[in-house]
Amino acid sequence: MIEQPLEQTIEPRETHLRDYLRILRKRMKIIVLVFGIVFVVSAVKTFTTTPIYSASTKVLIEKTEPGDILSNYGYVSYDPEFLATQSHIITSMPVAQKVVALLNLEKTYDTFTSQHSGGFSPLRSIKGWVSGLMRTISNLFSSDSAAQAGADAGDGENDRQNQLAQLVRGGLSVSPVPESRIVNINFSSPNPALAAIITNSVAKAYIEQILEMQMSSSNYSIGWMTKKADEERAKLEAAEKTLQAYMKAHDILTIEDRITILPQKLAEISSQLTQAQTERKAMETVYLSVKDVLQGEEDPLTLPVINGDAMIKSLNQKILETRQHIMELSKKYGPKHALMRNADSELAMLTENRDQEIQRIIKSIQNEYELAKSTEENMQAMLSDIKADTVELNERFIQYNILKREVETNRNMYDALVSRIKEQSVTEQIQRVDVWVVEEAQTPVAPSQPNIPRNLMLGIVLGLFAGVGLVLFLEYLDNTIKLPEDLEEQFDIPVLGLVPLEKEKEKTDSEKELEETPSAFRESFNALQSSIQLSAHESPPKTILVTSNLPKEGKTTSATHLAETISRSGKKVLLIDADMRRPRVHKIFDIKNDKGLSTSMAGASDMKVIQKSRIENLDIIPSGPVPPNPAELLGSERFRATLKLLSEKYHTIVIDSPPLLSVMDSYHISKVVDGTILIVRSAKTTYDAMYKGLKHLDEVGAKILGAVINGADFKKSGYYYYDYYHYYGSEDEE
């Protein structure tokens, strides 16, 4: 019984170098076959390929950048893409077309090809036949074939030129020489003379193409600049007319003088306005104080502007003197004295004069204030007028500058274009790319293709890699059990024996042939018998179930050979055919099957079902007629009791049963026998099938003695198995 539960995931065992060697040895025929096919194909391709000759010419290509138009040399800047660009130009369609025109290949190409047709080539004949057939089919299924044929006839000449140009491009290759400005131009062709001629013509065509490209570019540039110059001249004339009209309409000549005067006048008026504002504010202060005097709220003499007046001071002094004089007279005379009256009259007159003078001063201050205020307002109006005039003049002058600037811009653009046209006309003949043919192509004397040693070596390498790769890939896809290590490491069950793969002439399908089993086959079952005894040395199993996971894995053959081998050791053996669905034991031993295990278990007959075989000590119970319920019969108590009774009479009972994954019969039997042996078909039984079978046996508690690998090909397995098989096989041959 399996000690530990099975795991669902099946881990591949670690692969060693000897495993790969064993795989290669096992599938050596596939490796040899693939290697042979690849090598033969490469050899046939190599020896049937038309020889190709390659001619090469060396060309020096330099880039020049013209400087000043008066200098005869140019500065060459670093340009990493220059040679790559020139290489593409060399292999371009225009260059190829020039080569066709230079050599007149439309008439001479067939002459070159007819001289070097290369003889008869089966592959070329087949290729031509297939191409013709495809063209015929295409014409049959084309709806507008008639119209297309007419168009093709009209364009036949152009098509011929394009085809030849494409042929030239197809054989052309360019390779810059490292760390130099030299470029190798190569052309390959079956005709060595044609290869040399076309290579030299490509260099000439390339030089012509460079010159044409430069001339075309220069002509286009000059034409474009001339057209642009005419447009700029028209714009310049229109702008000048617009400027002249604007100057005439707005008198721009006097405006310039006025614009130069207005800032000075504006500054002067601003200064005067500031002064007037200051005077007005000063007079306003005095006027407000005088206004209070007029309203009787303040004494006029308290105002500094009045009190400080010279006339007022003089009158005040006289009034003071008169008052003193009156005081002196009043001491001598009475109020009605003539002197007193004269003095009073003089004081009154002085006082009246002072009041009049005060009124005059006040009126003068009021007039001065009004004048200052009026002056300020006039200055403010003048400043506003000057500002308005300045803004208006500036607007006119701005528009004038805009028109003038447009005229200058158009004039500069026109002058630059005219200058560039003249310079381009002078420098258009200066070549920007200089090309020299350093070494002309010579007619090759030996073909460059095919390289026979290289192709054959490549065929050998590819053949080996393809064969080994295919073998390893097939081995990777193979999910079957082939070696004892596969079972022992993946499922932890012992391998009791290996049964060699039988040849057709060695297959044992009858009792007579069992006796004539080959030595290697017989010895494998001798080893199996020994393994069964050693698996339980203290109490060897008496009842052994032989089953497999799937049909046609050799369980019946293994069961019969195992029973026959044990019987030859002198032990009494009973072989029971419990495969009631597809019985075969009675056919092998050529006995009747009208009664057997099914009739015994059903209890319908009391006849004995045990039959003797021609092999000594070997008895057989055939399956009997096919019952409707085999699983119920094998799982019954009657079967258990019968098996127990028979085990007392026979030393060993070998039971052949149906496959595990087909029906449930074997699971019922595995529960009542002493041990179960699983037959595994080498290179057929998969890991998944083995896992499912062992899982079901473990679920019913079956005791598994081990597995037997049937149909093992020792010659392919490698290791010591081959030596074992070869030893006994040589004995059989003798």
Side-chain angles (χ1 to χ4, degrees):
M1 185 180 299
I2 300 176
E3 298 294 337
Q4 298 179 351
L6 293 173
E7 297 292 337
Q8 176 64 38
T9 57
I10 299 174
E11 297 292 338
R13 67 185 182 89
E14 184 179 358
T15 305
H16 300 281
L17 178 60
R18 60 178 178 271
D19 296 324
Y20 288 110
L21 296 177
R22 176 184 57 81
I23 293 171
L24 298 180
R25 181 179 179 183
K26 180 179 67 174
R27 301 182 185 268
M28 185 57 69
K29 292 182 179 179
I30 297 178
I31 297 177
V32 173
L33 177 62
V34 174
F35 170 77
I37 293 174
V38 174
F39 180 75
V40 169
V41 169
S42 63
V44 170
K45 178 64 176 177
T46 299
F47 289 107
T48 57
T49 301
T50 302
I52 301 298
Y53 296 85
S54 297
S56 176
T57 181
K58 295 183 181 297
V59 177
L60 174 62
I61 304 175
E62 287 188 347
K63 176 183 179 182
T64 59
E65 295 182 0
D68 193 283
I69 60 175
L70 299 178
S71 62
N72 295 325
Y73 60 90
Y75 170 71
V76 180
S77 62
Y78 174 69
D79 188 359
E81 294 85 10
F82 174 71
L83 288 182
T85 303
Q86 300 306 312
S87 299
H88 284 287
I89 295 176
I90 294 173
T91 58
S92 64
M93 191 66 176
V95 173
Q97 291 174 344
K98 287 183 180 298
V99 172
V100 173
L102 286 173
L103 299 178
N104 196 16
L105 290 181
E106 296 180 22
K107 299 179 180 179
T108 61
Y109 183 77
D110 293 336
T111 304
F112 287 107
T113 56
S114 62
Q115 293 177 358
H116 292 267
S117 60
F120 174 74
S121 174
L123 293 179
R124 190 159 55 246
S125 300
I126 295 174
K127 182 178 179 181
W129 180 81
V130 172
S131 300
L133 180 61
M134 295 301 295
R135 285 194 299 269
T136 303
I137 296 175
S138 176
N139 292 332
L140 289 177
F141 287 94
S142 178
S143 60
D144 55 345
S145 58
Q148 186 66 31
D152 291 343
D155 298 337
E157 184 177 354
N158 293 332
D159 291 344
R160 176 66 173 171
Q161 293 177 353
N162 293 332
Q163 290 175 1
L164 292 173
Q166 291 293 348
L167 288 174
V168 172
R169 292 187 65 192
L172 192 63
S173 63
V174 180
S175 57
V177 178
E179 300 181 358
S180 70
R181 298 190 182 96
I182 295 178
V183 174
N184 287 325
I185 301 177
N186 306 304
F187 184 79
S188 299
S189 173
N191 190 315
L194 180 63
I197 293 173
I198 289 182
T199 304
N200 293 325
S201 299
V202 167
K204 297 178 182 178
Y206 165 62
I207 296 174
E208 292 182 4
Q209 181 66 20
I210 290 295
L211 292 174
E212 287 184 5
M213 291 173 60
Q214 182 178 350
M215 293 299 295
S216 176
S217 176
S218 299
N219 293 335
Y220 178 80
S221 299
I222 293 175
W224 180 85
M225 287 188 292
T226 302
K227 181 180 178 181
K228 197 68 178 176
D230 293 339
E231 295 177 359
E232 293 299 326
R233 183 177 65 253
K235 291 182 181 179
L236 176 60
E237 293 176 356
E240 288 177 344
K241 291 180 181 179
T242 303
L243 177 62
Q244 188 66 28
Y246 185 82
M247 292 175 63
K248 183 177 181 181
H250 296 85
D251 195 12
I252 297 300
L253 296 178
T254 59
I255 287 178
E256 292 182 354
D257 297 334
R258 292 174 62 188
I259 287 178
T260 57
I261 296 173
L262 281 177
Q264 299 177 359
K265 189 174 182 181
L266 183 63
E268 182 180 352
I269 296 298
S270 296
S271 177
Q272 293 177 2
L273 176 62
T274 302
Q275 183 178 358
Q277 288 176 343
T278 303
E279 293 178 356
R280 192 265 305 166
K281 290 180 181 179
M283 293 304 299
E284 186 177 9
T285 302
V286 175
Y287 174 72
L288 291 176
S289 60
V290 171
K291 191 175 182 180
D292 294 336
V293 173
L294 294 176
Q295 294 177 356
E297 297 178 359
E298 190 174 355
D299 186 6
L301 296 177
T302 59
L303 297 177
V305 68
I306 296 176
N307 194 25
D309 186 73
M311 183 62 70
I312 297 298
K313 288 181 178 180
S314 177
L315 291 174
N316 285 336
Q317 183 64 30
K318 290 179 178 181
I319 289 172
L320 179 61
E321 292 176 355
T322 302
R323 286 178 178 174
Q324 291 177 354
H325 181 64
I326 290 173
M327 290 178 62
E328 292 177 357
L329 291 177
S330 63
K331 293 178 180 180
K332 296 180 179 182
Y333 305 104
K336 294 183 179 181
H337 190 274
L339 292 174
M340 288 291 291
R341 286 197 300 270
N342 291 334
D344 289 336
S345 298
E346 184 179 358
L347 178 62
M349 186 182 60
L350 290 173
T351 302
E352 183 180 358
N353 290 337
R354 187 184 65 182
D355 292 338
Q356 291 177 355
E357 187 64 25
I358 289 173
Q359 291 298 325
R360 185 190 64 76
I361 293 173
I362 292 174
K363 186 65 175 176
S364 176
I365 291 173
Q366 184 177 5
N367 292 335
E368 289 180 1
Y369 169 71
E370 294 293 338
L371 179 60
K373 184 177 180 181
S374 176
T375 302
E376 179 186 5
E377 291 176 353
N378 292 334
M379 290 295 175
Q380 187 70 41
M382 290 177 63
L383 182 63
S384 299
D385 293 340
I386 292 175
K387 286 182 178 181
D389 292 342
T390 304
V391 171
E392 182 181 0
L393 291 176
N394 284 335
E395 290 178 354
R396 294 180 183 179
F397 204 70
I398 288 173
Q399 184 64 28
Y400 166 74
N401 287 333
I402 292 174
L403 296 175
K404 186 177 180 181
R405 185 164 53 251
E406 184 176 359
V407 170
E408 292 176 354
T409 301
N410 292 333
R411 181 177 289 110
N412 292 335
M413 179 65 71
Y414 175 72
D415 293 341
L417 286 172
V418 172
S419 175
R420 184 60 180 168
I421 291 172
K422 293 179 180 180
E423 181 180 352
Q424 188 72 20
S425 300
V426 174
T427 60
E428 66 177 351
Q429 301 300 326
I430 299 176
Q431 190 172 350
R432 296 182 180 272
V433 179
D434 294 331
V435 182
W436 295 274
V437 177
V438 178
E439 180 181 341
E440 291 188 351
Q442 303 297 325
T443 303
V445 296
S448 60
Q449 294 179 3
N451 190 333
I452 296 177
R454 184 192 64 185
N455 290 356
L456 294 181
M457 183 59 65
L458 185 61
I460 293 174
V461 174
L462 290 179
L464 288 176
F465 273 99
V468 173
L470 179 61
V471 164
L472 294 179
F473 180 69
L474 294 176
E475 188 69 19
Y476 172 78
L477 296 179
D478 192 356
N479 190 31
T480 59
I481 299 171
K482 294 175 283 294
L483 298 176
E485 291 86 345
D486 299 339
L487 282 174
E488 293 172 352
E489 295 182 4
Q490 294 293 342
F491 303 102
D492 195 22
I493 62 173
V495 177
L496 301 177
L498 293 172
V499 179
L501 180 66
E502 295 181 84
K503 299 180 181 178
E504 289 294 330
K505 64 179 181 179
E506 294 177 350
K507 289 187 177 181
T508 56
D509 293 332
S510 66
E511 183 178 3
K512 180 181 179 181
E513 291 173 344
L514 284 174
E515 299 174 354
E516 300 174 355
T517 303
S519 299
F521 200 81
R522 186 187 317 117
E523 187 60 30
S524 65
F525 282 95
N526 290 334
L528 175 59
Q529 178 188 1
S530 300
S531 299
I532 294 173
Q533 296 297 326
L534 293 174
S535 64
H537 181 67
E538 297 180 357
S539 58
K542 295 180 67 65
T543 55
I544 301 172
L545 172 64
V546 179
T547 185
S548 63
N549 294 292
L550 297 170
K552 297 183 180 181
E553 291 185 338
K555 61 177 182 56
T556 300
T557 302
S558 299
T560 55
H561 279 283
L562 177 60
E564 183 264 344
T565 301
I566 297 175
S567 66
R568 290 186 185 279
S569 64
K571 299 175 183 178
K572 197 166 182 60
V573 180
L574 176 64
L575 176 60
I576 301 177
D577 188 358
D579 190 352
M580 301 181 188
R581 304 173 189 271
R582 298 181 62 182
R584 288 186 59 243
V585 174
H586 67 282
K587 297 180 181 179
I588 295 175
F589 290 92
D590 194 17
I591 59 177
K592 296 181 179 180
N593 195 33
D594 54 349
K595 59 181 179 178
L597 183 61
S598 61
T599 57
S600 176
M601 293 299 100
S605 174
D606 295 330
M607 292 182 297
K608 295 185 179 295
V609 295
I610 300 175
Q611 301 185 34
K612 294 288 185 179
S613 68
R614 290 188 299 177
I615 299 174
E616 187 178 0
N617 298 325
L618 179 59
D619 295 339
I620 301 170
I621 298 180
S623 64
V626 179
N629 52 350
E632 295 180 4
L633 296 179
L634 296 174
S636 64
E637 188 64 28
R638 184 182 180 88
F639 177 76
R640 184 189 299 268
T642 301
L643 195 61
K644 183 177 181 182
L645 181 62
L646 292 173
S647 63
E648 295 176 356
K649 181 179 179 182
Y650 291 92
H651 178 272
T652 304
I653 299 176
V654 180
I655 304 174
D656 179 26
S657 67
L660 292 171
L661 301 181
S662 299
V663 292
M664 297 297 295
D665 301 2
S666 298
Y667 300 113
H668 294 300
I669 302 174
S670 65
K671 293 188 291 184
V672 298
V673 297
D674 296 335
T676 301
I677 297 177
L678 274 173
I679 304 300
V680 177
R681 185 72 177 183
S682 177
K684 180 179 179 182
T685 303
T686 63
Y687 286 97
D688 295 335
M690 190 68 184
Y691 169 79
K692 293 178 182 178
L694 290 176
K695 181 180 179 182
H696 293 328
L697 289 175
D698 184 58
E699 289 174 353
V700 299
K703 181 179 180 181
I704 301 176
L705 298 178
V708 175
I709 297 182
N710 183 29
D713 191 350
F714 292 145
K715 292 184 178 181
K716 294 182 178 180
S717 299
Y719 299 119
Y720 52 85
Y721 305 121
Y722 176 74
D723 298 332
Y724 174 86
Y725 175 82
H726 186 266
Y727 176 77
Y728 285 99
S730 61
E731 178 184 344
D732 293 338
E733 292 174 0
E734 292 175 359

